[in-house]
Amino acid sequence: MRRFCLFILLTLASLTALAQSPDPVKWTFSAKKIANGQYEVHLSATLDKGWHIYSQTTPDGGPVRTSISFAKNPLVTLQGATSESGKLEQHFDDLFDVEVKQFSGQVDFVQKLTVKANAKTNLSGNITFMTCNNTMCLPPKTISFTVPLK
């Protein structure tokens, strides 16, 4: 009984510490005009030391890959897929039995687009991602973003 109580106490203490810890991923969102009516939208993640998030191309069966969805906007036409820019790390993960693709430090997700008719509008959407370090993973998280296009 004493061991059971100690186990419960340590579990609660761990959960409390985890709940109070800050998010290891900081996101920034920006748009860069590259030509008349053409933009690059940058969804940039800066990760605390020791933490990583997974590439959009991490295979099925592995950890939750980063996924980005954009809200429909009749004034905006997306140009191709969202690219990734950062130091891609790849390794075989025995736990998932797949080749894992991840980023540490900094990663920039870039979406090119065209805005119709010189209108002021926004690009909105959601990013779903999972953050892990060498000892644990946080539950997948979805955040919303809105980037003004001027």
Side-chain angles (χ1 to χ4, degrees):
M1 182 68 173
R2 183 183 290 214
R3 286 184 189 202
F4 178 73
C5 289
L6 181 60
F7 172 76
I8 294 297
L9 181 64
L10 290 175
T11 301
L12 289 174
S14 297
L15 290 174
T16 301
L18 181 61
Q20 293 176 353
S21 65
D23 192 346
V25 182
K26 309 297 182 271
W27 288 93
T28 58
F29 309 102
S30 63
K32 176 182 174 185
K33 189 172 188 175
I34 55 175
N36 191 24
Q38 296 182 344
Y39 293 84
E40 286 182 348
V41 172
H42 294 259
L43 315 171
S44 303
T46 302
L47 295 99
D48 290 349
K49 186 175 175 132
W51 290 89
H52 54 268
I53 63 174
Y54 297 96
S55 169
Q56 299 172 95
T57 61
T58 293
D60 290 338
V64 175
R65 66 180 134 222
T66 300
S67 63
I68 303 168
S69 62
F70 298 101
K72 298 238 185 265
N73 181 336
L75 297 175
V76 174
T77 303
L78 301 178
Q79 305 295 321
T82 305
S83 64
E84 302 172 336
S85 177
K87 184 180 176 190
L88 181 65
E89 304 162 355
Q90 296 185 64
H91 67 278
F92 185 81
D93 191 308
D94 293 326
L95 178 65
F96 294 110
D97 199 32
V98 297
E99 184 77 14
V100 171
K101 298 176 183 180
Q102 66 188 37
F103 294 94
S104 300
Q106 172 86 30
V107 60
D108 193 23
F109 297 95
V110 181
Q111 178 63 57
K112 292 184 179 182
L113 58 89
T114 303
V115 176
K116 299 175 185 173
N118 287 335
K120 289 185 180 180
T121 189
N122 296 315
L123 180 67
S124 298
N126 296 305
I127 303 173
T128 301
F129 62 98
M130 188 165 86
T131 311
C132 298
N133 64 19
N134 289 337
T135 59
M136 67 180 208
C137 290
L138 299 179
K141 186 174 186 178
T142 299
I143 60 168
S144 298
F145 63 87
T146 298
V147 180
L149 304 170
K150 301 176 185 175

